[in-house]
Amino acid sequence: MNFFSGLLNSLFERTSNLLEGYQASDDKLTSLCEALLSTKGEVSGIAISEQILNHYRRLDREDKRAFFIYLLTEMDIDVTAISSSIERYQRSKETTNYRAFINAAQPRRRNFFRRLNEVPGATFELVSMRRDLLSLLAENPELGVLDIDLRELFISWFNRGFLVLRPIDWTSPAHILEKIISYEAVHEISSWDDLRRRLAPPDRRCFAFFHPSMPEEPLIFVEVALCAELPSSVQDILSDGREPTPEKEIEYAVFYSISNCQQGLAGISFGHSLIKTVVAELSQERPKLKHFITLSPVPNFARWLARQNIQDGPDMQPAEAFLTAHPEEVRALGACYLLQAKRENDMPVDPVARFHLGNGASLYQIHEGADLSPRGQKQSYGLMVNYLYEREKLIENHEKFVKDGDIKAQPKLHELARKYKDKLSEKS
Amino acid sequence: MNFFSGLLNSLFERTSNLLEGYQASDDKLTSLCEALLSTKGEVSGIAISEQILNHYRRLDREDKRAFFIYLLTEMDIDVTAISSSIERYQRSKETTNYRAFINAAQPRRRNFFRRLNEVPGATFELVSMRRDLLSLLAENPELGVLDIDLRELFISWFNRGFLVLRPIDWTSPAHILEKIISYEAVHEISSWDDLRRRLAPPDRRCFAFFHPSMPEEPLIFVEVALCAELPSSVQDILSDGREPTPEKEIEYAVFYSISNCQQGLAGISFGHSLIKTVVAELSQERPKLKHFITLSPVPNFARWLARQNIQDGPDMQPAEAFLTAHPEEVRALGACYLLQAKRENDMPVDPVARFHLGNGASLYQIHEGADLSPRGQKQSYGLMVNYLYEREKLIENHEKFVKDGDIKAQPKLHELARKYKDKLSEKS
Amino acid sequence: MNFFSGLLNSLFERTSNLLEGYQASDDKLTSLCEALLSTKGEVSGIAISEQILNHYRRLDREDKRAFFIYLLTEMDIDVTAISSSIERYQRSKETTNYRAFINAAQPRRRNFFRRLNEVPGATFELVSMRRDLLSLLAENPELGVLDIDLRELFISWFNRGFLVLRPIDWTSPAHILEKIISYEAVHEISSWDDLRRRLAPPDRRCFAFFHPSMPEEPLIFVEVALCAELPSSVQDILSDGREPTPEKEIEYAVFYSISNCQQGLAGISFGHSLIKTVVAELSQERPKLKHFITLSPVPNFARWLARQNIQDGPDMQPAEAFLTAHPEEVRALGACYLLQAKRENDMPVDPVARFHLGNGASLYQIHEGADLSPRGQKQSYGLMVNYLYEREKLIENHEKFVKDGDIKAQPKLHELARKYKDKLSEKS
Amino acid sequence: MNFFSGLLNSLFERTSNLLEGYQASDDKLTSLCEALLSTKGEVSGIAISEQILNHYRRLDREDKRAFFIYLLTEMDIDVTAISSSIERYQRSKETTNYRAFINAAQPRRRNFFRRLNEVPGATFELVSMRRDLLSLLAENPELGVLDIDLRELFISWFNRGFLVLRPIDWTSPAHILEKIISYEAVHEISSWDDLRRRLAPPDRRCFAFFHPSMPEEPLIFVEVALCAELPSSVQDILSDGREPTPEKEIEYAVFYSISNCQQGLAGISFGHSLIKTVVAELSQERPKLKHFITLSPVPNFARWLARQNIQDGPDMQPAEAFLTAHPEEVRALGACYLLQAKRENDMPVDPVARFHLGNGASLYQIHEGADLSPRGQKQSYGLMVNYLYEREKLIENHEKFVKDGDIKAQPKLHELARKYKDKLSEKS
C-alpha cells in the first residue's frame, strides 16, 4: 500500500466548477463543437466539453447519426492542404514542413475528441460513443471514416503500457462483479452463486485489464481454473459441489473463458496481452505451474458443417446427417474443421483458432461433450478445444502460422483430420 | 478508499517474464527495432521493447544521436504512398481510402514508440528519450521532425483527462518530496526544513499533476499560500517563524510558484489546466475563499531594461543607469515592461505575462522588493507581480488578449506605465 | 489515501515462522496451555498459541466443554492470595501491595487468553470460542465464571475507541456483503438483488463497525433510508421498483434495521455507539437532514398479548381474540404494551423499547400493517414503531427513563394507551 | 490493496458532533470525571470524555499532579467490597459471586480510563498522560498505584495481536520519517541525508510496530543492515558513500539499532516481539538469509569499570587506569563485564545483555573501536557486541538463562573473560 494508490481515486473526485458559469452563446450542439475548437475552448477548459457530452447523452439514434455525419463532413481533413504540405516536405525535409504536413493530416475532429477526453470520466463516454457509431455503420458505411479516427485515438489512449491487470476475486467490489456477470460472453454466469464458484475457491482465478481513466469498467477478463489434470469439459470446471484441487497437485492453468467487455473498443485487441500477462503473473506466483492451456469453444463448427457434404461409402450426404448417424465421429470432423477449413487468405475459418494460433499457441486436444450448454451444443455439437501456450515455442509457431498458414498441432489431431480430408466437399 | 486504489500499484508490480528467453538473432539496436515492427514483435510481446530500452539506456550522447538519425531516416513517412492515397481519397471518400491515407500518413516510428510504451514504466523512459532528443536539436535541427512525432504521441498520452491532481503535503512520501525539492524552479527550496515550512502549515498547500503510468514523477506542481491579505513579497510567504493565518481570516489563495518537472515534456502544457483545476479544488474545499491570485516573477525585466535608453530631462541615458539613480521608479518601469514591451506578434515580451494573460487572468499589482533572492534581484530588480484569476472574466480577457493584444490590468498600472511610455527607446 | 491505509493489510500478511520448529514435549492441549504460561511461552512467541488454537478448532462439543472446565478449575484465582494481598493493601496503600493484589485478582486464564490473542487473526477465534462457551452455559452454568473473564477482556479489546465505522455500499467487497446478507437479523435479505436495492440507491445507506483485528467481520450494522417523509411501513422502504428520493427532498434518516453480527460478542454493546456515530456522520455529510428516527420492530407484542385478558364491555376475554375481532385496535394495544407493560424493575417488557429509550430516544409513532412479513405478522401483528433521536433531548430523556422509568412519547400515544389501560389484566 | 485498507483512515476522519451541545453543569474537571461515570456519561457518548481530555491538555504540572492524586484517592478500589465478595466466592463459586468480586476488584478509574479511550485519537493522549504520570513518580511514589492501573489497561490495549508491523523506507510519509529521526535513541540520525542513507539503499531495512488507534506514532522500530559479512563497527554500516551490498552476496541481517518511541509505554515491552517478527518477515522474504544478529551497544561498561580495581602484577590499581595503559585489553575486560558482572538476582548488569540473552540469543562477538561516537566512547570505550539469534536454540538458551543464569556465548569469549576473572575486584 503506498502513496500512489490514491492517484486513481482522485480522477473521479475531481471537480470542474471553475468555469461553470460558461454559457455558449447558443446551445446548439454544433455551435458548442465549434466553440470547443476556437480560442474560447482553450480557456474555458472542460466546461464546453462537458456541455457537449451532456448534450450527446440525450440524443436519440437519429440525432446521433446526424451528429456523426456533421463530424464526418464538417471536420474532415483538408485534402488540398495535405497535398501541398506533403509536396513541400518532399522537396525539403525541414521541421516546419513536416509539422505543416502532420497538422494537415489530422482532421479537426481528432482534436475535437481529444478535447472531449479532457473531462474526467469522458473516456468511457467516448468508448460508448464509438459503440453507437459502430451500430450505425451497416446503414451508413461512410461513417467508417469517422471510426478510423476514433480507433486511432483509442489505440494511443489504450496503449498496452497504460492498462492495469487486476485480479478479480470474491473480495472484489460488488459493482465490478456485477459487470463480470453481465459481460461474461462464453459460459454464461447464471447467478451470484455461480460467480462465487468461479471466484472464491483457491484453485480458481480471474484477471481483468482496466484503464486508469475508466476504473469501474473492466476491458477484458479471463477466467482460469488451476487443475491437477487437464479437464475434459467445461462442466467439470463449473460443477457445483466439487472439491478444490489441493495446492500441491496443481499443474495446469486452464484458461476457460475470455470475454471482451466494451463493444466500443472492438478491434482494439487486448486478448493477446491479457493471456501473456496472466501467464507471466501465474508463473511468478507459482513457479511449479507446468502447463498453460485454454479450454476454448469452437464457435463456427456447426455452421461450417451445415455447408459440407460427406462421402460416406459410395454415397454423398450432408455432413450434418452423417454426424447425426455417427456421433462418435464428431472429434474427427472437428479436427477437419480446425485444421483444414480455411478462408481465402489461408487462415482458419474458426475465429478462436485464428486468435490462439496467431498468438503462437498450438492445437492440443479436442474434447467431445465438453460443452453441454444449449449454446455449446448448437454451435459446436458440444466440442471444445485446448490450445497450448508454450513460451519457448510461441514465436516459432506464430511465424510459421502467419507466413505459411502452418498450424502447429498434436500429430494425433493431424491424423484425425486426415480421416475425412478427401471425403468432405463444400455444398454447391 | 476503494477497490481502484490498487490499480496503479499493479502497474509497477507487473512482470513480463513470459518471453524472457527471447533473443534477437543479432543484438544490434537497429535489428531489434526492425524485429519489434515485424511479425516477431507482435507475439514476443514486450520482450523486444525491453531489450531496446535497456540498450538505449546504455548509449552515450553520440550513439543516441545516431539512433535518432536512424529513426529519422529509416522510419520516415512514405511520401509517394501519402500522395497517391490522398489522391484516391479525394476522388472517393471511402473508408478504405481514408484508412490507406491515415496509415501512410503515420511514419513507422510512431508505431515503434507505441510498442516501446507497452513496457511497464516505459512512459517515463520515453519522456527521458525526448529530453535527450531536445538537447540535440541545436546541433541537429533536422531531428525536429522526430520531435514532432514524439510530441504528437505525448499529446495523446498525456491528455488532460488522464492526469491526476494530487495534493502534496507533509504526509507525502519522502521520495516524492525529494523530487519537489529538486524540481522547484522559481523559489529554490533550500532544505527539508524549508520544504516543511511550505507544506506542513495549515495555510500552505501544494498540488501536482501525475500521470498514472509514471506515478513516481510529478509533471508540474504549484505552491499556494492561503492568506488574509495579499502578500507583497515572497519573503513574507516563505519566512521562518511566522504564525499560520487563522482559518477564518483566509481570503486569498496566492499561487506563488509553478514548476514544470519534466524537460522531456517541454511544450506539452499543463500549467493552464493545473491552475484552473486547483482553483476549482480550493473553491469547493473552501467556499469562502474570495481571490485567486498569483505572486509571479518578472523574469526578463532586467534583460529588457538593459536594452533600453531613457529620456531623463534633456538627456538620454541607459535605462539601467537611470534606475540605479532612481530606484523608486522600478514599479513604473516594470509596468512599462509588462504592458508595453511587445514581440512582433503583439504579445508581451514577458513569458510569465503571456502565460497568465493568455489564461484570461489580469495584471493586478506590481511589488518592489518582493523577491530579494540573488536571482530575483538579478532578473527583475526584486519586482514581482500579481495576476488575478476571476472566473467570470477569464474568457473575455482571454479573447481580447489573443485577438487584439489587449492586456487587462488595473487602471493604476496603465497609468504608471504611461509615465515613461514616450521616454523609453530601444538602444540602437 | 495515505500511508496508514496499509497498516491493517499487514495484520493478515504477517507470518510467524520464527519458531515454527517448536514442538511441545507432548501434544496434549493442557500441556500446551501450561507451556504457554511458563517461561517457554515467553520466548516461543506465538508458536504455542497457534498450536493451541489449531487444537481447539478440531475439538468437538464435549471436548470443548472439558477444555472450558479445565480453564475454569485449573486457572482460577487464588482466593488466599487475594485475601492476604488486599489485607496488606488495606494496611498500607503502597504500590507493591497494590501490584500484588492486582496480580492476584486476575486468574491465570486471563493471561492465557491474552497470549492466545497475540496470534494474528486470533481475536476472531476467541470471539468464536466465547460463542461456543455461551452455547454451553445452559447446561453448565458454572462456566459463567469463565465467561466473565472473557467478557472483561473483550470489553477492553473492543473499546469503542478501537472500532472503525465503515460505510457498506454496492462497491463493498462481495465477501463482506455476503456476510451482511447472512447476518441481517431484522428484515431478511432474500437475494443479492434485494441487497442491491438496500445498498445501491443514492437514498440508501448502511454502516458497520469493524475491529482492526478482524477486518473481514462486521460487528454490527445499521441500514438507513433517507426519505422525504416518514415511511409508514418497511414495505415502503424495501419495495422493488421505487424511485429514489430526490436529493433535495430528503429530510428523514430512517434507521430501519440494526443487526448484531457476532454471537461471541453478546452483551458487549455496540448499538448505542453505532446509532450515535451514524447520526453524527450523516449530520456532517448532509447538514440539511432534519430528523433521525427508527422504524423498529415490536418483537414481543404478540407473546405479551397472548398472556392478557381484556374487559370487552361486560365480558372478559383473551386479548388475542379481542384483537382478532377488532383489528383496528392494534395500535392502541401496541401503545399499552410499549408504555405500560413493565418488568419488575419498572423497565419496559419490550427489549427494543428498552434499547432506544435507554439511549434517550422518545416513542414517536406506531404503525399498523408496517411489517407484513410472516415474522412481522407473527410477533407483532404487523406493528412497527418509530423512536425519535433528538440530540438536545437525549440526556434528559435518558435520565428520566433510567431514574424514574418515565417514557418520553408523543402525547397521542399516551392517550391511545389509556384506552385499554384499566381493561387489560394478566391471565392467571 | 483491498477494502480494509480504508478502515484505519476512517478512525481519524470520524466526527463526534452528536452531542456537541452537551455542557457539564459546572466545568470543573472532577465534576466532568464524575459525570462521565454517571448515567449521563452513558448516553452523552464521548462528549464528556472529549471535554476531560481538552481540560487535561491545558493543565500544568502541578494541576496534573493534583488530578492524578484525585484519581488515586477518589477512584480507588473498595477494600471492604473486595473482602466480602472474595469471601462469598470462596464459599460458593457461583457466577454472581465471581462477577461481584471482579467488579469490586477494579477501581473506578479503570472504567474512567476506558471511557476516555472511546474518543477517537484518545489512545495517544492516554499514553501521553502516563508519560506525565511517570515523570511524577519520583516525587510522588504513591502514584505508582495509579500507574499499575494504566499499565494493566495498556497491556490489554497494546496486545501483541493488535500491533501492526510496517516497513519504513524512503517512500514513507515525511511526517513519520521525521518521528523516526527524533525517536532514534541508539545512533543519532543527524539529518535527512543520514536518514536517507539508512532507508533508501536496497541493503538497508527498517521496521516499526504501530497500533491501529495511533497510526501516526511508531511504537518501536528497528534498523537492519543486510550484509555480506559481519560488520565490525557501526561506522561501517552508517558510512556515507559506501556501495550497497549486491543482492546475491547478502548473508547477514544485522539489527544495529532498536528504539522505543513512547515514554508513556515504558515497561510494556515490544522489543521481543519486534525482533522475532522482523526475523520471520525477512526469512520469508529472503530464504537465503543465513544469520540474524545484532550489533549492540554495551551501555554500562564504562560505569562498571570505574567501580573496579584490577590486580596488575603485584599491584592493585583502578581498572580504568589499567585500561588506559593497555587499551588492547578492552575486549577482555568487556567479556568480563558481560559474562561475569551480575546483579543480585544473578542476571547480567548490562541491560542490553539481559534483553537479548533473555530472548534466547547468544553472545557472539565483541568488537573494539566499533562505536567511535562520543557517546559510544564514553559509555563503552567504543565496544559493541553481537548477539546471535538462532531460531532452533532460542528456547533452550532462554531457559538456561532464566533458570540458572547461564549465558550462552562463543567459547572464545568465555576464555577471554577468564583472563581477568580473578584479578578484578569491586572498589570498596
Side-chain angles (χ1 to χ4, degrees), chain C residues 94-236:
Chain C
E94 283 169 36
T95 302
T96 47
N97 292 340
Y98 188 67
R99 181 182 298 119
F101 166 70
I102 289 295
N103 288 341
Q106 298 207 38
R108 293 203 306 151
R109 57 191 167 243
R110 286 238 190 139
N111 200 31
F112 171 74
F113 290 129
R114 279 199 193 107
R115 299 299 308 272
L116 287 189
N117 195 35
E118 294 180 359
V119 176
T123 309
F124 181 59
E125 306 223 33
L126 288 164
V127 169
S128 304
M129 197 183 276
R130 183 159 176 255
R131 187 197 55 207
D132 296 342
L133 177 66
L134 293 175
S135 79
L136 290 164
L137 275 192
E139 297 163 23
N140 296 75
E142 74 276 21
L143 290 175
V145 164
L146 188 56
D147 181 47
I148 285 169
D149 288 315
L150 268 179
R151 204 173 157 275
E152 279 292 307
L153 284 169
F154 287 3
I155 283 172
S156 267
W157 292 344
F158 290 87
N159 191 291
R160 170 65 189 87
F162 297 156
L163 303 190
V164 190
L165 185 74
R166 292 287 291 166
I168 301 290
D169 59 32
W170 193 237
T171 69
S172 300
H175 73 302
I176 298 291
L177 296 185
E178 134 184 283
K179 281 170 187 160
I180 296 294
I181 293 178
S182 100
Y183 288 141
E184 158 70 61
V186 186
H187 304 292
E188 194 197 355
I189 301 176
S190 61
S191 66
W192 284 84
D193 282 343
D194 189 2
L195 180 70
R196 196 187 198 295
R197 279 196 297 275
R198 301 191 193 199
L199 298 183
D203 61 345
R204 292 295 180 263
R205 303 298 302 273
C206 178
F207 295 90
F209 270 149
F210 288 84
H211 188 277
S213 285
M214 37 191 276
E216 313 223 338
E217 284 290 334
L219 306 183
I220 186 172
F221 63 91
V222 61
E223 295 164 68
V224 187
L226 303 175
C227 306
E229 296 180 358
L230 191 58
S232 62
S233 80
V234 76
Q235 297 88 257
D236 284 1

Side-chain angles (χ1 to χ4, degrees), chain C residues 4 7 14-15 17 39-40 43 98 106 149 152 162-164 166 213 215 276 284 391 395 398-399, chain D residues 4 7 14-15 17-18 22 39-40 98 106 149 152 162-164 166 213 215 284 391 398-399:
Chain C
F4 306 107
L7 280 185
R14 251 192 252 151
T15 56
N17 57 344
T39 172
K40 271 182 201 167
V43 74
Y98 188 67
Q106 298 207 38
D149 288 315
E152 279 292 307
F162 297 156
L163 303 190
V164 190
R166 292 287 291 166
S213 285
K276 285 169 203 160
Q284 190 178 351
R391 296 178 187 210
I395 290 179
H398 163 79
E399 294 203 323
Chain D
F4 305 108
L7 279 185
R14 249 192 255 152
T15 57
N17 57 344
L18 177 56
Y22 176 81
T39 172
K40 270 182 202 167
Y98 188 68
Q106 299 207 39
D149 288 314
E152 278 293 305
F162 296 155
L163 303 189
V164 190
R166 292 287 292 166
S213 285
Q284 191 178 348
R391 295 178 187 209
H398 164 80
E399 294 203 325

Side-chain angles (χ1 to χ4, degrees), chain C residues 50 52-60 64 125:
Chain C
E50 280 183 342
I52 293 172
L53 291 170
N54 283 333
H55 240 284
Y56 178 81
R57 254 178 253 123
R58 293 192 304 263
L59 298 184
D60 64 17
K64 285 177 177 175
E125 306 223 33

Side-chain angles (χ1 to χ4, degrees), chain D residues 388-411:
Chain D
L388 180 67
Y389 278 78
E390 294 175 287
R391 295 178 187 209
E392 59 285 355
K393 299 195 179 156
L394 294 181
I395 290 179
E396 187 190 332
N397 290 346
H398 164 80
E399 294 203 325
K400 286 192 179 158
F401 178 71
V402 296
K403 281 189 195 151
D404 313 322
D406 274 11
I407 296 178
K408 176 77 179 297
Q410 290 295 98

Side-chain angles (χ1 to χ4, degrees), chain A residues 405-420:
Chain A
D406 273 11
I407 297 178
K408 177 76 179 299
Q410 290 297 97
K412 279 185 188 175
L413 295 178
H414 280 297
E415 220 166 283
L416 207 57
R418 270 193 289 277
K419 198 165 170 185
Y420 292 104

Side-chain angles (χ1 to χ4, degrees), chain C residues 59-71:
Chain C
L59 298 184
D60 64 17
R61 187 173 164 87
E62 282 320 302
D63 284 343
K64 285 177 177 175
R65 190 196 312 270
F67 173 64
F68 291 140
I69 287 171
Y70 159 77
L71 294 178

